[in-house]
Amino acid sequence: DIDMALPVPVVRWVAVSRKGKEKETAAMSASPATEYGVLVGDPPLVSFGWGDLLLQYAATFAQQIRATLFQELGYRASAGVSYNRFLAKIGSGLNKPDQQTVILSSQAESFLYSYPVTNIPSLGGKLGALVENAFGAQTAGDLMNHTVDQLALKLGPEQAQFLYNRCHGIDDSPVEDSKEPGTLTSAKNFMRFPVESLSKLDRWISMNSVDLWTRVIEEWEMRKRWPRSLTISFTPRGQNQRSKTTAFPLRLAKGAQNSPDALAATVRMCLSASDTEADSTGRGRPPRHQSSQMTQTSGMFPMIGFSLTAKSFQREFASASMMERWLIRPRNNA
């Protein structure tokens, strides 16, 4: 009989040891570790309902993605699994670097009760400070007894509804395809072991160039967009970040420039010029085709941060192939 109601599924969250790779799991609670990830709060290892069954399938899928990332690329990743985007985002940051967190609907409010207000996405800035000052709230639990109308007296109706939903784990925003990125960045942090010279930075120039170039190629293959500008940024220890912008290497169908080597060469040229200028009297100016925001009164090293950013993306149309053919055409030696 097709009208017969299906039985409520029983979902078993099988407990596993925290030894091995899970020894790095954050100890922010006594949450049980399972073969599907860490369950927040103090949930039973057996739950009921179609929603929890879907989360179990999602957790399995997330595990497969993380395993593939590690096997094929050597990258460790964390993940969050929940019934909406907001809670999944929180979960993804709870048990880094190599574990995933599952937040069940039955545990959401008890979990959020002790969660700091300013750690909630979109509440870390001015709005979070306003909420703390207006209500004396440190955690989401401090606000759970307030109605929307009570919150609106100090925040206005729109922000009050947003805050109420966040504190109760409510988020109906849809999962959408990613939009076209305005920039692509590859960065490296040297806070623990600052880089002392340009020669020691060279391996990171190569690695970050390969990383950024790969992502630029993916953007080209997906959306036929190519960056026009490259921003090279670095942070000397004890100083503010500096940056220099120059032209991104042209995309050619053939030839040596169709590789990360062209990008790395551009980066080396700009950094070498900056290092020379920094060692001079400080009066030198960058080439005209480069815009510089760097203060030339002190050196680049020791360096604690380095990044490459591709930006000013431009979509290429069919006519671009004609220019490309012209650029790579054979030339007769005069």
Side-chain angles (χ1 to χ4, degrees):
D1 185 354
I2 61 174
D3 293 328
M4 183 178 63
L6 292 173
V8 176
V10 178
V11 185
R12 301 186 183 278
W13 304 91
V14 182
V16 297
S17 170
R18 285 180 180 269
K19 296 180 179 179
K21 71 174 184 178
E22 294 182 353
K23 65 184 178 182
E24 298 180 86
T25 297
M28 54 182 302
S29 70
S31 306
T34 77
E35 65 178 19
Y36 300 99
V38 176
L39 300 181
V40 304
D42 189 22
L45 291 178
V46 176
S47 60
F48 303 89
W50 293 103
D52 285 1
L53 181 61
L54 289 175
L55 289 185
Q56 192 176 80
Y57 280 118
T60 301
F61 183 55
Q63 278 186 332
Q64 292 171 350
I65 294 175
R66 293 172 50 242
T68 301
L69 275 173
F70 183 74
Q71 292 168 4
E72 297 187 7
L73 301 176
Y75 293 150
R76 299 184 185 276
S78 60
V81 180
S82 193
Y83 58 93
N84 62 41
R85 291 176 58 189
F86 157 59
L87 290 173
K89 181 176 179 63
I90 289 179
S92 67
L94 291 180
N95 291 294
K96 292 184 177 182
D98 188 24
Q99 183 56 281
Q100 60 189 51
T101 305
V102 181
I103 303 178
L104 306 178
S105 60
S106 59
Q107 297 298 320
E109 285 202 11
S110 61
F111 163 73
L112 289 170
Y113 191 86
S114 60
Y115 198 74
V117 169
T118 53
N119 286 358
I120 295 176
S122 302
L123 289 176
K126 293 181 179 179
L127 179 57
L130 175 61
V131 169
E132 284 187 322
N133 294 331
F135 300 97
Q138 298 298 315
T139 68
D142 295 335
L143 297 164
M144 285 184 177
N145 291 330
H146 291 70
T147 66
V148 176
D149 291 338
Q150 289 172 334
L151 296 173
L153 293 175
K154 296 183 178 180
L155 299 177
E158 186 174 340
Q159 288 186 334
Q161 187 65 64
F162 174 82
L163 180 61
Y164 180 89
N165 288 349
R166 283 289 190 258
C167 290
H168 290 269
I170 301 171
D171 178 21
D172 58 1
S173 60
V175 177
E176 299 175 337
D177 291 338
S178 60
K179 299 179 181 179
E180 291 185 348
T183 62
L184 293 175
T185 299
S186 178
K188 179 62 181 176
N189 188 301
F190 308 115
M191 290 293 293
R192 292 184 60 191
F193 303 103
V195 173
E196 300 292 340
S197 66
L198 196 58
S199 60
K200 293 182 179 179
L201 180 66
D202 193 71
R203 65 184 290 251
W204 296 109
I205 293 175
S206 298
M207 293 175 68
N208 284 77
S209 294
V210 170
D211 177 47
L212 181 60
W213 186 270
T214 301
R215 294 165 64 192
V216 166
I217 291 295
E218 290 174 353
E219 179 66 18
W220 165 256
E221 293 175 347
M222 183 180 301
R223 300 185 179 95
K224 291 294 182 285
R225 300 195 312 151
W226 194 259
R228 292 183 297 171
S229 300
L230 169 69
T231 296
I232 304 159
S233 302
F234 62 86
T235 306
R237 185 170 57 191
Q239 301 180 40
N240 294 329
Q241 184 186 70
R242 308 179 194 177
S243 63
K244 172 172 287 190
T245 298
T246 188
F248 198 92
L250 294 174
R251 185 191 69 84
L252 298 180
K254 298 178 181 179
Q257 274 197 292
N258 194 25
S259 77
D261 295 341
L263 178 57
T266 300
V267 175
R268 291 187 181 101
M269 179 182 68
C270 289
L271 288 178
S272 296
S274 298
D275 196 32
T276 301
E277 292 165 0
D279 289 338
S280 70
T281 61
R283 297 172 183 168
R285 295 184 178 273
R288 288 187 177 181
H289 69 283
Q290 297 169 354
S291 63
S292 176
Q293 299 173 339
M294 299 183 183
T295 303
Q296 305 295 345
T297 57
S298 59
M300 298 166 55
F301 303 98
M303 185 183 295
I304 61 173
F306 171 68
S307 67
L308 305 177
T309 301
K311 58 186 183 180
S312 301
F313 281 84
Q314 187 174 44
R315 199 178 306 278
E316 295 190 21
F317 299 98
S319 59
S321 61
M322 298 177 60
M323 177 62 73
E324 186 176 273
R325 288 196 295 271
W326 183 85
L327 288 171
I328 63 173
R329 74 192 191 285
R331 290 175 173 79
N332 295 323
N333 294 326

